[in-house]
Amino acid sequence: MNYEEIALLIGRLLTDTISDEDIEKLNIWRRQNDFNETVFQHLTDKEWLTREHIRRKLTNSERPLTEMKHRIEGERKLNGHRRWYWAAAIALLICGGATLLYGPLFETHKQQPTTIAHETASEIRPGTTVAILTQDGKKRIKLTDEASFERLSIQRKQDQQKTDSKSLAFNNLSTPRGGEFKITLEDGTEVWLNAETTLRYPECFGTDERRVEVSGEAYFKVAKEQDRPFCVVCGGQEVLVHGTEFNVNGYNDESDIYTTLVNGSISLHSIKGNGSELILTPGLQAVFNRSSESARVGRVNTYVMTSWRNGMFVFENQSMEQIMHTLSRWYNFEYEFSSQSVAKTVLMGSIPRYSSFAEVVDIFHKLGGIHLKQVNNKVIITTQK
């Protein structure tokens, strides 16, 4: 049987439309080797399928699928393992409508390991949905989904109504390394928080403006209100909007703050400056330097700058030093380079945000000849095997 037939049999099994004869065919295939049995166990595990379906819904598949096809076309033939992972991807298509995206990428870490990272990378995992909400400066609550945040917000509003409180109570919502979270503020503004990000916001906005503070990286989809402008304070700059979508990246350990406009219009100014403003239109990015309090503006690919929100890491002409700095926040690991030349190596490509670290290792190996060797929780980056 070829891999399309196996995929169809697995699909029939999961949809309870398989015949006794086909069950026997499937069992014969399963008994051929351990690998086939592993594929079967994955594709008949409802929890695994659910996780994969959610992950693929959150991932923009067009770019990695195109890149994957280019790599496949460059090879003369598919080996046995890769063929069965294509079968796995097709089975997911049949059963859950998932995209044909990860088949070959899953296969790579099943081959003979080329570095220690292949054997131990399971210890490093991608981030999850998690945040810590601090209320009244002292009460800390762990959140693992947006629904839990909404329930707390409703309860808080009810409590305030009972006490007839008019004060603007501020909360801090923080994601750890290896965490992300999305919330909806009381005015309907949606905010996505990347790893190691803190958002300070009032439970209820005042009548004149809507003001929040952010440290780290966040994507804002601001609810439009003509009479109440929305202000985002990050580092030494303030972003003023009325209703738009933009990304701000301003980690405390970095000297520059990057503000990228996707839709609408925003203005930026230095809090300590002379009052002059920069006005951005879609596709422009302002880079504000904390030390000099000066800014420069350039045109960028907004998809690249905001890809993290859509379940992807997209790197265009970035050094390995920049790439590893980003990945270490999400996968929560320490790293070091074998040399400065490796750190300055420039790569271009994309990585699904929810990939296992073993898959990340193989992607770097295939695309740039970069080897990642894991020692405990530290990753050593080199060009040598």
Side-chain angles (χ1 to χ4, degrees):
M1 290 185 294
N2 59 35
Y3 62 92
E4 288 96 344
E5 291 176 309
I6 293 298
L8 185 60
L9 293 182
I10 294 176
R12 287 175 178 171
L13 177 68
L14 293 175
T15 54
D16 199 24
T17 58
I18 191 170
S19 66
D20 292 340
E21 181 181 355
D22 285 341
I23 288 177
E24 182 56 30
K25 289 180 181 179
L26 191 56
N27 288 336
I28 292 173
W29 170 77
R30 290 170 59 186
R31 290 193 293 266
Q32 286 178 355
N33 54 62
D34 292 339
F35 180 80
N36 290 357
E37 178 63 20
T38 299
V39 171
F40 176 82
Q41 292 298 329
H42 271 308
L43 292 178
T44 53
D45 183 340
K46 292 182 180 179
E47 292 186 1
W48 187 89
L49 287 171
T50 299
R51 289 195 302 270
E52 288 301 299
H53 180 63
I54 293 173
R55 180 171 79 166
R56 292 156 203 262
K57 283 178 64 179
L58 293 172
T59 300
N60 186 325
S61 64
E62 294 181 1
R63 184 186 182 103
L65 180 58
T66 300
E67 294 175 354
M68 180 184 70
K69 286 180 177 178
H70 286 320
R71 291 199 296 273
I72 293 171
E73 289 168 0
E75 300 181 11
R76 292 185 177 182
K77 63 180 180 179
L78 300 175
N79 64 34
H81 285 186
R82 179 174 283 111
R83 294 177 71 182
W84 295 125
Y85 270 105
W86 273 105
I90 294 171
L92 280 173
L93 273 172
I94 295 172
C95 304
T99 56
L100 185 59
L101 175 61
Y102 298 112
L105 297 184
F106 279 173
E107 176 273 335
T108 54
H109 75 276
K110 293 293 184 180
Q111 299 174 7
Q112 290 298 317
T114 57
T115 69
I116 294 178
H118 290 252
E119 299 174 356
T120 61
S122 60
E123 298 172 11
I124 297 178
R125 302 179 183 276
T128 59
T129 300
V130 62
I132 299 297
L133 177 64
T134 304
Q135 295 179 324
D136 302 323
K138 54 185 179 180
K139 186 177 181 180
R140 291 167 57 85
I141 304 170
K142 183 177 180 179
L143 305 176
T144 55
D145 56 57
E146 189 178 2
S148 59
F149 171 81
E150 292 175 352
R151 289 192 296 271
L152 283 173
S153 298
I154 293 173
Q155 183 60 50
R156 188 77 164 179
K157 288 178 182 179
Q158 293 174 343
D159 293 341
Q160 286 184 329
Q161 290 173 354
K162 291 178 182 179
T163 59
D164 195 30
S165 174
K166 302 296 183 181
S167 62
L168 291 180
F170 278 84
N171 294 329
N172 280 353
L173 186 68
S174 299
T175 55
R177 286 175 68 88
E180 65 178 355
F181 207 81
K182 174 184 178 292
I183 66 170
T184 302
L185 302 177
E186 62 92 12
D187 67 330
T189 293
E190 296 175 278
V191 188
W192 288 259
L193 305 183
N194 206 345
E196 279 194 311
T197 298
T198 297
L199 177 72
R200 185 173 186 268
Y201 65 96
E203 292 182 348
C204 294
F205 290 111
T207 57
D208 297 329
E209 67 173 6
R210 298 167 289 167
R211 180 179 293 268
V212 300
E213 298 178 19
V214 65
S215 171
E217 183 168 24
Y219 186 95
F220 290 85
K221 187 175 182 180
V222 179
K224 188 172 183 178
E225 289 190 20
Q226 194 65 35
D227 299 329
R228 286 198 305 174
F230 196 95
C231 302
V232 178
V233 177
C234 182
Q237 76 167 13
E238 183 177 274
V239 182
L240 179 65
V241 304
H242 287 281
T244 188
E245 294 186 42
F246 65 98
N247 192 84
V248 60
N249 183 328
Y251 286 97
N252 288 334
D253 60 351
E254 297 178 0
S255 58
D256 292 329
I257 301 172
Y258 300 84
T259 305
T260 307
L261 181 62
V262 178
N263 292 311
S265 176
I266 59 177
S267 62
L268 303 88
H269 68 269
S270 169
I271 295 176
K272 298 179 181 179
N274 56 14
S276 60
E277 288 186 328
L278 280 176
I279 298 178
L280 299 187
T281 55
L284 293 182
Q285 180 185 77
V287 183
F288 177 83
N289 184 271
R290 299 174 190 266
S291 300
S292 65
E293 295 187 357
S294 61
R296 63 184 187 275
V297 177
R299 186 161 295 279
V300 297
N301 184 336
T302 58
Y303 168 73
V304 173
M305 298 298 111
T306 63
S307 59
W308 66 271
R309 189 179 69 89
N310 297 313
M312 293 295 299
F313 289 111
V314 179
F315 304 111
E316 288 196 350
N317 298 320
Q318 287 184 270
S319 68
M320 278 299 297
E321 191 167 25
Q322 293 171 312
I323 292 172
M324 295 307 293
H325 195 51
T326 297
L327 293 181
S328 66
R329 283 199 178 101
W330 179 240
Y331 285 90
N332 190 18
F333 63 84
E334 302 298 326
Y335 63 92
E336 66 180 53
F337 293 95
S338 61
S339 68
Q340 276 300 304
S341 62
V342 177
K344 296 183 182 302
T345 300
V346 175
L347 291 181
M348 185 172 182
S350 59
I351 298 173
R353 186 172 168 89
Y354 305 97
S355 295
S356 70
F357 194 70
E359 291 167 349
V360 174
V361 168
D362 284 310
I363 289 172
F364 280 117
H365 172 61
K366 283 179 172 289
L367 296 183
I370 303 294
H371 299 274
L372 279 64
K373 178 180 178 180
Q374 183 182 333
V375 180
N376 296 323
N377 200 43
K378 175 170 280 190
V379 174
I380 311 300
I381 304 102
T382 180
T383 56
Q384 301 296 322
K385 290 186 179 181

